[in-house]
Amino acid sequence: MSKRARLWRTTAGLAALAVGAGAVPATAAGVRPGWAVAVVDQASRRVLVVQSADELMAYRGPDRQPVVWSWSADTAGDLDDLDPHRSWGAPDEAKSRVRDGRRYLLVTASGGLAAVVDTATGATAWATDTGEHANPHSAELLPDGNVAVAASTGGWVRLYAASLGPRTTAHAEYRLPGAHGVHWDGRAGLLWALGDDTLTALRVGGTAAAPLLGVERAVPLPEPGGHDLSPVLAEPGRLWVSTGEHLWRFDPTADRFTRIRLGGEEAERDIKSVGDEPGTGRLLTTAPDHAGPCTWCTSVLTLHRPDGSRSLPGTHLYKARWWTSWGIGR
């Protein structure tokens, strides 16, 4: 963390942050236009949508709580058949995607669950249990309604024919050691997949009911340990890539990685998630703070350019994403 970073802590614990046990429609819960932040909290086993970066920086609570919406598989009654007590263990992804004018939350959990949730209703549009040893780490929604999932321990990227129904398990598979991230680039018509050592562009073929995956090209990472993959919103077509030691921006037109410096090696190491705020370009990252029982988690959201941080005491945060209106057709 930069020496210039400011750290404001609330005296309220996680219990005070709750907005209720189940999911409340995002529109009814007060998620205003603008760029809120979705975080994956493994302590409460919930996805929490919190206020914008500026509001978080100004927050001095505990009278004004930052959580405005939450969701958990534990309280989603339509997921009981997928054993969320196990499959929702250690949730590790939360993405906002817009398709056909509707916003969806994409989630995965190390316990095996992958799901797409309609944020207007809280209903599950599609979900599957990939198994307790697959360790899914990210998911992506495609324009036809199908869903890509990356599983690190399983060592694969799957494209599920989710457009066929809410429990469809039919899929195409591409083997990728350490698969951690997937992102759909609608401009190029490519599904990008991040593994331990490569960033791979996959071409989607077949039909929505019977999809196929083929390799367009595979680009070696500048160093091992690929972890997070997300779009650079300020430069459409480019990608953020985090590895074990550094943060990179990838230009697919030249297959070139450029190292992004955040003010010190400490700030660049072991980044679990990264993204730029639409309009401002401000970066949001999460990385383990080694301050609690979870060695891969943190309770701090870190912002860069300008620098700042926000602590949510009692949380075990894994990833944080800007709650943007990213459309999967892009």
Side-chain angles (χ1 to χ4, degrees):
M1 185 182 302
S2 166
K3 292 181 179 179
R4 292 183 296 141
R6 296 167 294 169
L7 179 60
W8 286 314
R9 296 181 178 272
T10 79
T11 57
L14 179 64
L17 298 177
V19 295
V24 178
T27 51
V31 179
R32 299 178 299 280
W35 313 122
V37 174
V39 299
V40 183
D41 176 32
Q42 295 186 354
S44 68
R45 294 165 55 100
R46 292 187 299 159
V47 173
L48 309 173
V49 179
V50 300
Q51 294 166 340
S52 69
D54 287 342
E55 289 175 306
L56 285 172
M57 292 302 99
Y59 174 74
R60 301 178 187 276
D63 56 316
R64 182 171 173 238
Q65 307 304 341
V67 175
V68 292
W69 187 70
S70 69
W71 181 89
S72 174
D74 292 329
T75 53
D78 57 1
L79 287 175
D80 288 347
D81 60 309
L82 297 181
D83 187 19
H85 178 73
R86 173 195 48 84
S87 66
W88 184 237
D92 52 30
E93 179 64 285
K95 285 183 181 177
S96 166
R97 290 294 185 262
V98 175
R99 175 177 177 264
D100 295 337
R102 299 187 71 86
R103 184 191 294 271
Y104 296 94
L105 168 69
L106 277 63
V107 296
T108 59
S110 294
L113 185 70
V116 179
V117 180
D118 187 328
T119 63
T121 65
T124 304
W126 173 84
T128 194
D129 179 4
T130 64
E132 58 184 321
H133 301 300
N135 198 17
H137 252 65
S138 190
E140 181 62 289
L141 182 63
L142 272 64
D144 60 7
N146 287 347
V147 178
V149 178
S152 60
T153 306
W156 48 252
V157 173
R158 289 178 179 173
L159 181 56
Y160 286 91
S163 55
L164 293 180
R167 289 294 184 275
T168 304
T169 58
H171 62 268
E173 181 174 302
Y174 172 72
R175 301 298 301 179
L176 181 64
H180 265 77
V182 281
H183 173 71
W184 172 252
D185 180 359
R187 298 162 63 93
L190 294 173
L191 179 65
W192 287 96
L194 180 66
D196 280 338
D197 301 302
T198 60
L199 178 61
T200 303
L202 299 173
R203 183 70 65 179
V204 176
T207 65
L212 299 172
L213 288 175
V215 178
E216 180 85 2
R217 65 188 188 276
V219 185
L221 296 181
E223 61 185 12
H227 195 280
D228 195 37
L229 177 67
S230 63
V232 179
L233 298 184
E235 301 177 68
R238 298 190 179 188
L239 301 169
W240 298 113
V241 174
S242 70
T243 55
E245 296 294 327
H246 299 105
L247 175 63
W248 309 85
R249 185 174 58 237
F250 176 71
D251 180 358
T253 63
D255 284 349
R256 183 177 63 245
F257 290 91
T258 301
R259 183 179 165 188
I260 304 301
R261 300 181 185 273
L262 298 178
E265 295 282 341
E266 185 72 20
E268 300 166 20
R269 184 175 296 118
D270 204 15
I271 291 175
K272 300 302 184 185
S273 65
V274 58
D276 55 315
E277 185 180 28
T280 70
R282 194 178 198 187
L283 288 181
L284 169 68
T285 63
T286 57
D289 57 12
H290 307 290
C294 176
T295 59
W296 54 87
C297 300
T298 183
S299 61
V300 178
L301 304 178
T302 304
L303 293 140
H304 313 269
R305 303 172 182 171
D307 293 352
S309 63
R310 174 70 167 89
S311 177
L312 298 180
T315 61
H316 294 166
L317 307 179
Y318 190 68
K319 288 180 182 174
R321 306 282 192 201
W322 296 109
W323 192 248
T324 70
S325 298
W326 177 266
I328 48 81
R330 299 183 187 181

